[in-house]
Amino acid sequence: MNWETLLNQELWIDLAVILAVTFVCYWVLRTVLNLIAHRLDKVATNAQGSHARILGFATEMLRRTSRFLLFAFSLLIGLKAAELPDRWAAMLSHGWFIALAMQIALWLDGGVRLWMESLTRDGKTRNPVTTTIIGIMLRIVIWTMMLLSILANLGVDITAMVASLGVGGIAIALAVQTLLSDVFASLSIGVDKPFEIGDFVVFGDVAGNIEHIGLKTTRIRALSGEQIVCSNTDMLRQFLHNYKRMDTRRIVFKFGVTYDTPPDKVRQIGGVVREIVEAQNQTRFDRAHFVAFDDFQLTFEVVYIMLTSDYNTYMDVQQEINLALLQRMADMEVDFAFPTQSIEFLGGRFPEVTVAGVASAQPANDNGPRLA
C-alpha cells in the first residue's frame, strides 16, 4: 500500500470537493424537479381536456425520475470539479451519455406505462389486446434504441447488429405472414376503432355484439346465442354496419288504402299520419305522401326520425303508430287494401254450384258475367 498517496493532502481535498459538489448538485436537482412537478400538477388541475392529460403525464414522468441515475449525474458533475487524468476524462464523457440515455429511456418507458394505465383506469379498456401489443412494441423500441445508442457511444460498431436484426425480422415476417396480417389488422382495429367491445355490428350474414378483440380473431355473440369467431383481416375486408354508434334512426314504412276511397279522404290521410307521428315520444316527422297507384291499393309512404337508436323503443313507437292508424282509418271509414283478384267468365254457362244440397245454374248473358 502506497501510504504517501493516502497521506496526500491534495487527494483528500479533491475527494471532499467532489463529494460536496455531488451532494449539492443532487439536492439542487431533486429540488428543481420537485418544484417543476408541483408547478405542472397545479397547472394540470386547472386545465381541461387533452392539455390537462398531457401535463399530468409530464408530472408523473418527472416524479418517476430514478434517484440512482440522478445521484450518478450529480457525481459526474462533481468529478468535473477535480483534475482527472485523460483516461478518466474519457470515461467520464461516456458516463454522461449513459446516465442521460438511461434516464430518457426511463422517462419514455414511464410515459408508455402511464398511457396504458390511463386506458384502463376505469377498469374497462376498449381493446386490451391492442393496447398491450402497442405498449410492448413501444417499450421494445425505446430500450433497443437506448442500448444501441450507448454501444455506439462506447465505440462499438453496431452496423452488423442492425443488419442482423433487419434480416432476422424479414425472415420471421415471411414465415408468419398470415399471423402478422391478423396482428396488424388487430392493431388497425385498435387505432382506427371501427368497432369496440360491446358494439352491435352486422356484416355479411352475421349480426351480434362484439365480445372480444384478440390478437388474431374477433369474437361475436350472435343474436341466436352462439359465438362466431372471425379473422381480424376478414373483418376489415367487408362492409360492416356498427349500430351502436347510430344516434338516430330514419324509419320508412308504407301502407295502402282501397281504390274506392274518395279523393277528399285520400288528401286528408297525409295530415292524419302527421298528427299520429308527432303525438309519439322521441320522434320527428319528416313526410307522408300518396306515392303510387299500385296493384290493389293506393300506396302511401311515411318517413319519420327516431331520436334514439334503441331498437326496442323504435318497435314500441311503430306499434303505437300502427294502432293509431287502424283507429283513425276506421273513424274515417277508409279501408286498408289487401290483395284481390277478379275473374271474367265469357260465354257458355256457369258450372253447377250445389248450395245446401240444391243445384243451380245461371245462363251467361251477352256481356259476360264476372265473378269477384
Side-chain angles (χ1 to χ4, degrees), residues 112-329:
V112 173
R113 289 175 179 270
L114 288 171
W115 171 72
M116 295 175 64
E117 290 174 3
S118 69
L119 296 179
T120 58
R121 189 163 294 168
D122 56 355
K124 295 187 287 185
T125 180
R126 296 178 175 179
N127 195 337
V129 175
T130 302
T131 302
T132 303
I133 293 173
I134 294 176
I136 292 173
M137 290 177 64
L138 289 175
R139 293 173 66 192
I140 289 175
V141 169
I142 290 169
W143 288 106
T144 301
M145 291 181 63
M146 185 274 295
L147 178 61
L148 292 176
S149 63
I150 289 175
L151 291 176
N153 183 263
L154 293 174
V156 178
D157 187 5
I158 63 172
T159 306
M161 186 182 300
V162 174
S164 300
L165 290 174
V167 172
I170 293 173
I172 294 173
L174 291 175
V176 292
Q177 56 182 335
T178 303
L179 176 61
L180 287 178
S181 175
D182 287 325
V183 170
F184 281 107
S186 176
L187 292 177
S188 177
I189 292 171
V191 174
D192 193 45
K193 294 183 176 60
F195 53 84
E196 298 170 352
I197 294 175
D199 289 1
F200 182 83
V201 298
V202 175
F203 70 99
D205 57 351
V206 177
N209 292 91
I210 302 292
E211 274 195 342
H212 177 74
I213 303 173
L215 187 65
K216 180 174 173 54
T217 60
T218 295
R219 299 167 197 172
I220 302 174
R221 182 65 61 182
L223 291 176
S224 51
E226 75 275 14
Q227 188 182 71
I228 299 174
V229 181
C230 306
S231 166
N232 290 330
T233 305
D234 292 337
M235 291 283 291
L236 295 180
R237 283 177 180 168
Q238 304 184 42
F239 289 103
L240 185 141
H241 302 266
N242 192 335
Y243 284 93
K244 183 157 184 193
R245 297 180 183 176
M246 181 171 60
D247 297 326
T248 60
R249 287 177 178 267
R250 182 178 183 270
I251 310 300
V252 180
F253 72 94
K254 295 181 179 181
F255 67 94
V257 297
T258 57
Y259 269 91
D260 58 2
T261 305
D264 58 332
K265 290 187 177 180
V266 173
R267 186 179 296 275
Q268 297 173 17
I269 291 176
V272 170
V273 173
R274 178 170 190 150
E275 293 176 6
I276 293 173
V277 172
E278 290 179 344
Q280 308 303 316
N281 294 325
Q282 296 184 314
T283 60
R284 184 174 72 246
F285 178 79
D286 189 7
R287 62 181 178 83
H289 292 101
F290 168 38
V291 295
F293 295 90
D294 287 329
D295 295 338
F296 321 120
Q297 67 178 18
L298 306 175
T299 303
F300 283 82
E301 184 178 74
V302 182
V303 179
Y304 68 94
I305 309 299
M306 282 295 303
L307 303 181
T308 176
S309 61
D310 184 70
Y311 186 79
N312 290 334
T313 303
Y314 150 62
M315 290 304 299
D316 291 340
V317 170
Q318 186 62 53
Q319 176 178 259
E320 292 301 319
I321 291 174
N322 293 340
L323 292 172
L325 272 175
L326 283 174
Q327 183 62 50
R328 294 294 296 272
M329 293 301 104

Side-chain angles (χ1 to χ4, degrees), residues 43-55:
V43 175
T45 304
N46 298 325
Q48 294 181 351
S50 60
H51 186 58
R53 187 177 179 183
I54 293 173
L55 290 175

